[in-house]
């Protein structure tokens, strides 16, 4: 086990993503947390903002301008989209950046500006950014200086789909992705729609056909399919805090079978420590990955001929965000891929 | 308002379905509850089994053999499948029966026996049974003596699909029904899988491609499509008690548009008091029907060309079971369709 | 049943309290809803703000200045404290007012100003206000023109305590009230602390020894105890939307027994339609009153000699707010006490 | 860090307690899991019973008779009370036992037999058992061969009370302990009362004045108070899976102040890694210890003179069971007290 110590700063430490990154980094054998950055809460102890992290000597939250970048090797950025790109573009060049926002995920700046409704201030950085779907971009990650961690939904969906899209086993033009997420995905900023009383004991779809994770999924699927792909992506808000599950309804292309699908996934992930292709008949559930970096994938026959159902499940804050960010960090710095990510799921 | 009084018995009053029927019947202006029937709990006050119904002078639970059928005009049956058919077949012929079990839903006895794994003891009654999807079988219900109330999922799915299937607007061979239900759907019998600690803060698909509501949906869709239809039906267990939502992914048949779909639904339900086709952009949520007999339907453009998303939402215990049973009772006895069903949704 | 129709306006219709009042009023046989008043949402259909109330022809939300008070007989006010008193003081005198805010609950204006941190703009109205704990102020309510509906916690606590305090059976100086509430009690305004992700799967006390319902409880207990009483009142936030339960730890005064306590409660509430003193050993639970105006009370022996535990349970939005408001309205207008409040609890 | 490896067996590995012990043991640097024992599930892979633990090479579940005790150094027992004592009494003497059941908690066998309603088959072992409240029995634990881990409620309550009882600062005859627990405390065996639909969106007290944890609390308080103490202990079931919070209402004995209470707790726990006395005004919440071995304690002024409120919060499955068991194991084997217990709380 490497005993190297890498100094990190977490920007956006007062959000759920930043806090979960901090939680994981605190137990990472090769990380020293040098700075926790937040705007509104600058000056407060981290424990005041996130009491579950009290008692471990974390640095106080500080303004981004107050950070001494000299001693910082890597930055994790958990800011909302639209704020990340300008801050990241001003960091010293020698600092490696793992961005958990949406600002560098879309390779096409026009697409970004159209979906996010704002001007990108660092289009030249977009070109340098590696899309941090760890299992699928390992080689690129090892030499990356800027990583754009995928959205939570794209992570879940692409883990299920990419190997079979790549193998040409399914019709890329007929991908239906019914997605379900816990409420943390909406962040910690107070909104009526994510109040306990609004969300509890109920269930609703949202952003139907208009969610910003759709173009991100399409970007990656199109790349492997060799054609411009439009997908159905329909997210639903579930009364739970953590967890995400996508149910992908796919059509086999000519000559392929459900066994082929299963084999392609098996092959793609057999050496990947965080992905588990479940045995036939075993069903992924979000409960079984809660708090961990695992991704569970199950393949099921459809009642409709030549159709298959692929289901994948992750913790949206871990594999869907902070955990994958740390996994990418490990790959960037040549550390054990699993370092700091060995927590087992918390069930119940 | 009719002041006629009809004497009813509720068989299976110790389950969620029976209790919710009782709750609604207690406030129905034309109902007198003569008997509450349960097996294990026979002899106990209803309030001991369901404390929320205490204090209103309900009859004690009794064994089915102890009921004096003389004064009973109608029976609601909330037994599990497999127990309903034999008890119902022995009731006096003059009693009208509204069955909330699965025993008379499938018109083909072979299909029933295959999916439910048991021999049907009253196949001759199956022929007489009217499928109680109230809005779609009004004429048959007015003269029915035995009504088979649809399953909760089929209710939600068929309300969304039947008008457009009937109009030939969508490809019946390409119906993908992603369904989500609260935990009451699994009943009150203790099972590990429905414990709070197993279900809370998590989400999982179940019975993928093998749920018994699939053949029921297929029966009704096939009937209107004029062909044998196989559908995708994939249910998910959601950490909430009540509520059900189906997200139907459908393909337009040649020459049809999303407006046609919307119009067909509008026309089908414009005079139906419990169905609300939502305005464009308004999204159905289970919170907004909780405790009520309403069904909300929304129609949405898919990102994929020539595809449409139809979503419907009900309370699985009300419109999905006891409420629809009471609605059918109203139609059978020539009462106001809404009698006893005017409760507004309870939100939050 | 009276067929009289009374025209009402609901001020603060965009909050949970106002919406639940509206829900109940819509089914009240003697009410016509003339106006729904809200500030920020003025101009919108009520269904846009509360989709569960869609489809019933409610008037659109309007600004308070736009209301034609001519045709209004009674006003229900669901505003936050501090905004209610000024609006109420400007209403035409002939209009009867049922206020669900805290503005007229405390008879001592100084106490109000101290606890609520603001100047009372209508101290003369405070004198006229009747404290609307329906079961305990029936006579005063029948002639009241302004009713201050109790807070949710005081309702639950006082229902359990007042009859035994009045009978001098317990030591008023030693009242410990451990209170638990669902999240709707905190209202619909977005706050970090009531987000699903903050509140779900967790439990915390709050406002320990400093909650504004403490002086309200003390006011009523002191009045019957004939001495100035200070109580322990410790509220806890529970991960549920509706429901409230108080566990009162009381000390018997000399010569009294648990039977005396039980008898005093029995006598106080025997003719009260919404209060149920539970049989020995039966435990109140919030599930069993959800959505209804009932109050359940249970009396239990303590392990410590000469101590007794009195527990009461209500739905905080109904008996704890809108339901009790409607009950008061009924008493003020000489209607059936239960009119519009006959909904049974919704369980599960 | 010690590199010693200790071979353990977990008896009762198919329950929540056994599973959480296994989860923690899997990441303990000094533990090798030799055997996982379960009765009904013997022969199955652990992953079939607890899918969240899949993929880590755990031994299959086996019958207790099939275990080769030769290579086992320590046994963790997570059986229900009444089954633990006979199995433990038959283990080879050289094996150290950490029992998480209730069978060895009560030093007085008569009290045990009276409260648990069964005959104790190993009364001689009761005498040898050390009560494993880690922070308070450190010396005894270092040489123990059998440890009886406290119940979850006693753990939470005694952590809050013992230092002040010991210092004579509060009246031991006037202890009111209002306790709240998540549903996992009731175990994994299917029961109607712990179904999601029964427990969700609701709250109820249970076992009032009759819970088996009362005599356990009384045993420890009496011991330090030097008198026979009877306490009020009133547990409530909360709609969450994990977490426990006790609100203790205590009366200061003559001459003591709230500062004395705070100081006594500060002194007792200043060197204890898992206990955090919170700063004035900071309120313990179960969310902030979820999944971890921490115990949070807060001290608050009561509105009633000479009364104080002490609140403590733990994860019932960790500090309240498996975590404390592991902490005791560490103390018994001379390991770092925190070994294997460094997981941070999972929030949200």
């Amino acid at each position: 086990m490497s005993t190297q110590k890498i100094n990190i700063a977490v920007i956006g430490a007062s959000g759920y993503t930043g806090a979960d990154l901090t939680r994981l980094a605190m137990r990472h054998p090769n990380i020293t947390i040098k700075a926790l950055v937040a705007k509104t809460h600058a000056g407060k102890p981290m424990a005041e903002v996130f009491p579950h992290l009290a008692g471990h000597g974390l640095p106080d939250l500080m303004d981004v301008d107050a950070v001494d970048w000299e001693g910082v090797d890597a930055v994790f950025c958990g800011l909302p989209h639209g704020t990340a790109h300008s801050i990241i573009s001003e960091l010293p060049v020698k600092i490696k950046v793992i961005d958990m926002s949406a600002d560098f995920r879309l390779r096409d700046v026009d697409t970004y500006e159209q979906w996010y409704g704002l001007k990108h201030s660092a289009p030249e950085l977009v070109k340098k950014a590696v899309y941090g779907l760890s299992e699928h971009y390992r080689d690129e990650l090892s030499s990356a200086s800027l990583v754009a961690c995928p959205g939570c939904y794209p992570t879940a969906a692409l883990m299920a789909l990419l190997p079979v899209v790549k193998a040409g086993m399914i019709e890329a033009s007929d991908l239906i992705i019914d997605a379900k997420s816990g409420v943390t995905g909406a962040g910690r900023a107070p909104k009526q729609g994510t109040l306990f009383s609004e969300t509890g004991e109920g269930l609703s779809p949202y952003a139907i056909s208009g969610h910003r994770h759709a173009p991100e999924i399409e970007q990656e699927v199109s790349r492997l399919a060799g054609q411009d792909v439009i997908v159905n992506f329909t997210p639903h808000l579930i009364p739970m805090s953590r967890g995400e599950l996508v149910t992908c309804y796919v059509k086999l292309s000519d000559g392929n079978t459900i066994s082929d699908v299963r084999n392609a996934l098996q092959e793609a992930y057999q050496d990947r420590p965080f992905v588990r292709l479940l045995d036939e008949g075993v069903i992924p559930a979000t409960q079984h990955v809660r708090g961990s970096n695992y991704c569970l994938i199950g393949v099921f026959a459809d009642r409709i001929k030549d159709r298959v159902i692929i289901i994948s499940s992750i913790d949206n804050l871990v594999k869907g965000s902070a955990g994958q960010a740390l996994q990418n960090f490990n790959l960037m710095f040549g550390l054990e891929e699993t370092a700091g990510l060995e927590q087992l799921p918390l069930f119940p």
Side-chain angles (χ1 to χ4, degrees), chain A:
Chain A
M1 195 168 74
S2 164
T3 56
Q4 179 191 5
K5 283 282 182 184
I6 298 161
N7 293 330
I8 70 157
V10 182
I11 302 182
S14 62
Y16 288 142
T17 288
D20 227 34
L21 193 283
T22 303
R23 171 181 72 91
L24 295 168
M26 287 163 75
R27 291 296 183 247
H28 193 295
N30 308 108
I31 282 181
T32 302
I33 300 177
K34 277 291 182 188
L36 296 176
V37 176
K39 200 181 172 105
T40 318
H41 295 291
K44 292 187 190 166
M46 183 66 166
E48 196 177 318
V49 178
F50 284 109
H52 70 297
L53 299 180
H56 298 279
L58 284 174
D60 285 354
L61 292 163
M62 63 170 73
D63 195 273
V64 70
D65 295 333
V67 180
D68 172 11
W69 297 112
E70 208 41 52
V72 173
D73 305 307
V75 159
F76 289 88
C77 177
L79 293 174
H81 65 263
T83 33
H85 54 70
S86 57
I87 286 187
I88 287 174
S89 64
E90 289 172 18
L91 292 174
V93 174
K94 59 128 204 161
I95 295 180
K96 300 202 179 191
V97 177
I98 303 101
D99 182 26
M100 301 180 284
S101 87
D103 278 358
F104 297 96
R105 292 174 190 161
L106 297 178
R107 293 190 189 87
D108 185 73
V109 172
D110 288 347
T111 306
Y112 173 86
E113 296 187 342
Q114 172 194 335
W115 278 85
Y116 288 86
L118 42 83
K119 185 130 196 75
H120 204 296
S121 70
E124 71 294 348
L125 275 185
V126 172
K127 293 191 200 94
K128 291 177 51 183
V130 172
Y131 188 73
L133 191 66
S134 318
E135 282 76 8
H136 291 270
Y137 283 87
R138 292 168 69 87
D139 294 345
E140 294 86 340
L141 286 164
S142 66
S143 58
S145 59
L146 168 58
V147 172
C149 295
C152 51
Y153 283 129
T155 297
L158 296 172
M159 293 298 283
L161 295 174
L162 285 193
V164 284
V165 168
K166 191 176 176 185
M169 287 172 179
I170 59 176
E171 303 286 355
S173 60
D174 192 358
L175 295 180
I176 293 167
I177 304 168
D178 188 291
K180 295 100 178 164
S181 175
V183 186
T184 49
R188 204 186 200 194
K191 280 172 244 162
Q192 183 182 292
T194 51
L195 291 179
F196 187 93
S197 306
E198 300 287 317
T199 309
E201 262 293 303
L203 150 74
S204 57
Y206 66 100
I208 304 171
S209 299
H211 195 286
R212 285 157 172 166
H213 286 176
E216 189 181 333
I217 296 171
E218 291 167 353
Q219 163 182 290
E220 295 302 307
V221 171
S222 299
R223 193 168 152 269
L224 290 190
Q227 56 174 286
D228 276 0
V229 170
I230 295 293
V231 303
N232 172 299
F233 172 67
T234 311
H236 298 72
L237 188 65
I238 304 296
M240 60 188 189
S241 290
R242 280 177 186 255
E244 204 155 273
L245 186 137
V246 297
T247 314
C248 304
Y249 301 99
V250 304
K251 189 166 190 174
L252 295 169
S253 49
D254 276 359
N256 288 288
T257 67
I258 187 171
S259 298
D260 297 330
V261 168
R262 177 168 276 280
N263 291 340
L265 288 162
Q266 176 62 36
E267 201 171 325
Y269 297 125
Q270 59 192 346
D271 299 325
R272 300 293 173 255
F274 293 117
V275 191
R276 295 189 41 238
L277 179 65
L278 300 181
D279 289 345
E280 255 181 74
V282 179
I283 295 178
T286 65
Q287 294 94 317
H288 301 146
V289 295
R290 190 189 302 140
S292 80
N293 200 47
Y294 294 100
C295 173
L296 306 182
I297 301 178
V299 179
F300 303 88
D302 197 311
R303 287 178 60 70
I304 303 179
K305 199 168 161 295
D306 294 331
R307 279 196 156 279
V308 166
I309 307 164
I310 314 178
I311 298 171
S312 94
S313 168
I314 60 171
D315 181 317
N316 57 308
L317 289 181
V318 188
K319 182 61 179 169
S321 185
Q324 185 156 252
L326 212 52
Q327 187 180 355
N328 290 335
F329 166 89
N330 289 340
L331 295 171
M332 291 163 85
F333 282 87
L335 304 168
E336 275 293 308
E337 185 170 355
T338 57
L341 292 167
E342 281 139 349
Q343 298 80 351
L344 294 166
L346 189 69
F347 173 85

